[in-house]
Every structure is written in C-alpha cells, then in structure tokens.
Amino acid sequence: MKSIWTMGEMIMEIMRPRSEMPHNVPAEYIGPFPSGAPAIMISSAARMGAKAGIIGGVGKDAFGDFLTSRLESYGVDCSQVLHSDKKATGNAFVMYHDDGSREFIFHIDGTPAVEAEVPDMNEISDPGFFHIMGCSLTANEDFCRRIVKTALLFAEKGAKISFDPNIRTELLRGGNLMEIIAPIVDNCSILMPGVDELLMMSGEKDIETAVEKLFGNEKLEMIVLKNGSKGCRVFTRENSWSLPAYHVVQADATGAGDCFDGAFLAALTLGKSIEQAAKEANAAGALDAAAFGPMEGEISPENVRKMIGD
C-alpha cells in the first residue's frame, strides 16, 4: 500500500464552548484538543485504513505528548516529528459567531510547529500522496520554503501532490497569498478547495468557468470542491460528480474539511473509485462535525459505511 504524508503545523486547540463569546472577555474555554489542519487530515486518513505519516514539530511537554500519542493511537507514523526541549507546543484559541464563522488567535510562529526540517527521503517508503494545507504555507516564511522543497522531493519519489488552500486570514498578515501558494499550485495533482477559495484562485465568478481555467495547469488531474452542508463536487478532465452531504446535528465544524481530505485520499490509496472516495469523505466530514473538537469525530470504516449505507 502506498502511503499518505503531510507536513505542517501540529498544535493544540482551546475553544469557546458557545458562539458569540469574544476572546477579549473573561469567560470559559474548553480543551485542549489535538489540532492543526495537517494533523487532523492525517488522523482521518489513518483512521480510514491508509498508511499515513506526518512531518511536524511539538514541544517536550504535556501538549506535545498528548498530540503525538493521539496520532499514534490512530496509526499515524510520527517518526518524522521533531520534539523540542527549548520551545512549547504551538496552540490556537478559537471562538465562533452565530453565522458559523470563526476567529482564531494563533500561537504557531516561533514554536516547534514551524521548525520541522526537510526529511531524509530514504526514510519515506513508497509515498502515494503528499498533502499540503495553505495555512501551513502562511505560518512562517522559512517553514513555507521547507514544505515546498519537501513537496518537490516527494514528487520526485513518485508521490502526487494534493493541496487544500485552507486560508486563514489571521496567518496571512498582509502577505500575497497567490505568490505564497504558487509553487504548490503549479505542481498540484489534486486540488481540494472550498467554493470561495476556488473562485479566488481562478479570479472567476462562477464554478464551471473557474474549474475550466484551473485545468489549464497540465499537472492538475482533479478538483474536489467542498461545499459544507451542500456536499461536494468532483471534477476530472473527463467527468464530474455531485455528492450530497450526510446530515448530522452539528456540534463543531472545525476540522470537518480536513477530515474530508484525509478520507478522500485514503479511499484513493486503497483503490476505491472517485465516487466512492467522495461518499466516504462526505461521511467522515459529517462524523467530525457531529463532535465537539477538531479531531474528536468517531471516524472509522465501520461508521462511515453505516452512514453511507454500504
């Protein structure tokens, strides 16, 4: 079986328990929860049966121990995770608005979350996918360069590059997003955006025109468009599919898109069809949204099969 790898921030998340509880008002938080978009994604891939690993960094502290032990319990290869005895594990504080939007306070730059080095590729066996999150590229300039270099090394070793723009304006801080993500977009085989991200990346106003324009990149094989409660649409150069979402009582949408990514790639790695991969990804995203905390959903092949009726 080919493996799925990612490189990016590994953090702990502390969350307001209800919407409209601003960060600047003394009130309760709950957590900590294992988090970081790449870590959430790779946890989902491993839970769905894929061989999966992460390149990242944590501190030698309780948060770092909690995060790596959680990933290892799912079967994620953490052999490429840096454990710093000089800096604490990164974290993020999150609050929700009633409309579902979120505000983050990130403590990532200056932590081990952005200190992982380019790996020795002799230690990476048979990679099938290398998945990148846009938030990881905007966390720190040097870390961005190392992720891009690592992606190109994975591509040389036969891996396909998958990319979720996953834009976090709190991390961008005035940087030119398109310039930052360009080296990854140029080498991407599978693009996994939300609708707003698709339109922003293409400069177009409608989905079909945006998809056509982005397929001008000869390396791009597939666009997997995530649209929350409306499900997803998958476009290849020959076909397209629209798959409905699986409805649950939503507790927390944080991490649902990341879990979608991991389950989709896992299904492809396991030899399943694109349509089946999209069904399983929708189910994994729904299971994650039904639980409070970004990595707390009861994602498993059994629960996914039960949700989609297979």
Side-chain angles (χ1 to χ4, degrees):
M1 180 194 302
K2 289 188 176 294
S3 57
I4 301 169
W5 281 84
T6 189
M7 181 176 183
E9 70 279 6
M10 299 172 65
I11 61 175
M12 296 298 288
E13 196 161 303
I14 299 94
M15 308 170 71
R16 290 295 200 189
R18 295 175 297 281
S19 63
E20 300 303 340
M21 296 178 69
H23 289 304
N24 62 352
V25 174
E28 64 186 306
Y29 285 95
I30 61 173
F33 295 104
S35 190
I40 300 165
M41 183 284 301
I42 208 68
S43 79
S44 177
R47 282 181 278 176
M48 288 303 295
K51 183 179 178 183
I54 187 168
I55 304 160
V58 297
K60 288 185 177 179
D61 52 34
F63 280 2
D65 291 344
F66 185 14
L67 180 48
T68 52
S69 64
R70 171 68 73 86
L71 291 175
E72 289 171 342
S73 75
Y74 293 144
V76 176
D77 183 344
C78 292
S79 62
Q80 300 297 319
V81 174
L82 173 152
H83 296 264
S84 174
D85 58 3
K86 297 180 180 178
K87 298 178 182 179
T89 302
N91 57 67
F93 290 80
V94 187
M95 62 84 56
Y96 281 89
H97 292 291
D98 287 337
D99 64 2
S101 63
R102 294 165 289 178
E103 291 184 25
F104 295 84
I105 298 176
F106 288 107
H107 181 219
I108 296 177
D109 198 6
T111 77
V114 295
E115 291 186 347
E117 297 291 341
V118 176
D120 180 350
M121 294 304 295
N122 292 321
E123 299 177 1
I124 308 294
S125 61
D126 203 17
F129 289 102
F130 184 72
H131 186 73
I132 301 164
M133 295 287 190
C135 52
S136 303
L137 300 176
T138 56
N140 173 280
E141 288 184 12
D142 288 338
F143 193 44
C144 175
R145 284 191 284 269
R146 294 197 297 276
I147 292 173
V148 171
K149 183 176 181 179
T150 300
L152 297 178
L153 291 174
F154 267 86
E156 288 176 5
K157 200 163 181 175
K160 292 184 177 182
I161 305 303
S162 56
F163 179 54
D164 181 341
N166 199 34
I167 298 167
R168 293 286 176 262
T169 56
E170 295 91 343
L171 291 172
L172 191 57
R173 296 178 181 176
N176 186 313
L177 179 67
M178 294 307 296
E179 288 183 5
I180 292 169
I181 68 176
I184 298 302
V185 173
D186 291 345
N187 289 279
C188 177
S189 294
I190 300 180
L191 179 64
M192 310 180 82
V195 174
D196 289 344
E197 293 165 339
L198 176 81
L199 299 180
M200 180 275 298
M201 291 176 66
S202 66
E204 301 294 339
K205 295 183 179 180
D206 67 89
I207 291 172
E208 282 70 22
T209 305
V211 167
E212 182 179 359
K213 182 173 181 179
L214 290 174
F215 271 131
N217 174 0
E218 294 181 358
K219 291 187 178 181
L220 186 61
E221 300 174 7
M222 190 185 309
I223 297 173
V224 184
L225 183 63
K226 297 177 289 185
N227 199 12
S229 62
K230 296 180 180 179
C232 70
R233 297 178 68 183
V234 183
F235 301 86
T236 66
R237 293 180 182 274
E238 297 80 24
N239 296 297
S240 65
W241 299 262
S242 293
L243 285 302
Y246 298 97
H247 294 289
V248 295
V249 177
Q250 181 172 302
D252 172 26
T254 303
D258 308 326
C259 289
F260 177 105
D261 294 353
F264 187 89
L265 296 177
L268 295 185
T269 302
L270 293 167
K272 299 179 183 180
S273 69
I274 293 172
E275 185 174 3
Q276 181 66 20
K279 288 180 181 180
E280 294 187 6
N282 275 343
L287 287 166
D288 191 69
F292 197 88
M295 204 186 291
E296 306 306 307
E298 296 294 328
I299 295 171
S300 69
E302 294 75 22
N303 288 341
V304 164
R305 283 196 297 269
K306 185 183 299 183
M307 178 165 281
I308 66 180
D310 284 3

